[in-house]
Amino acid sequence: MTQPDIIDRAAMALSAGLMLTGIVVLGVIEILAGQPYSPVPITNDAGEVVATPLFDPTLRTAFVLAGIGVLGLYAAYRLVTPMPEGTADRTGVTAD
């Protein structure tokens, strides 16, 4: 395997950053904002909205899916780019 180049590092950093933002950062901010921890608006018996989450769950999901999308694009890039010469780890095997 070759050493990671700038595209490898950029894809890893961007995807990790997006997923960590969606899962960890926004989750910690949601916890620090206080209750409710529900991902949907909370209503009382009359149907009035009494509490809403700080971040919409679709926003957090979008961050995570964007990170997964970056990894998918990176995988497609690695499939279509040719390997440099001399990097294949093939050894000859003698037939019995």
Side-chain angles (χ1 to χ4, degrees):
M1 176 151 183
T2 62
Q3 294 293 329
D5 60 0
I6 189 72
I7 294 176
D8 298 334
R9 290 188 178 138
M12 288 185 281
L14 182 61
S15 65
L18 286 169
M19 287 191 278
L20 284 174
T21 300
I23 296 169
V24 177
V25 174
L26 296 181
V28 168
I29 293 172
E30 189 78 36
I31 289 172
L32 293 176
Q35 292 194 3
Y37 301 121
S38 173
V40 295
I42 296 175
T43 58
N44 60 10
D45 292 335
E48 298 175 80
V49 175
V50 293
T52 58
L54 184 62
F55 296 107
D56 190 29
T58 55
L59 176 69
R60 294 181 68 183
T61 304
F63 273 105
V64 174
L65 289 177
I68 293 171
V70 168
L71 286 178
L73 290 173
Y74 171 67
Y77 162 77
R78 294 296 288 181
L79 282 173
V80 298
T81 56
M83 289 179 59
E85 291 295 322
T87 59
D89 294 332
R90 298 181 184 171
T91 58
V93 177
T94 57
D96 290 335

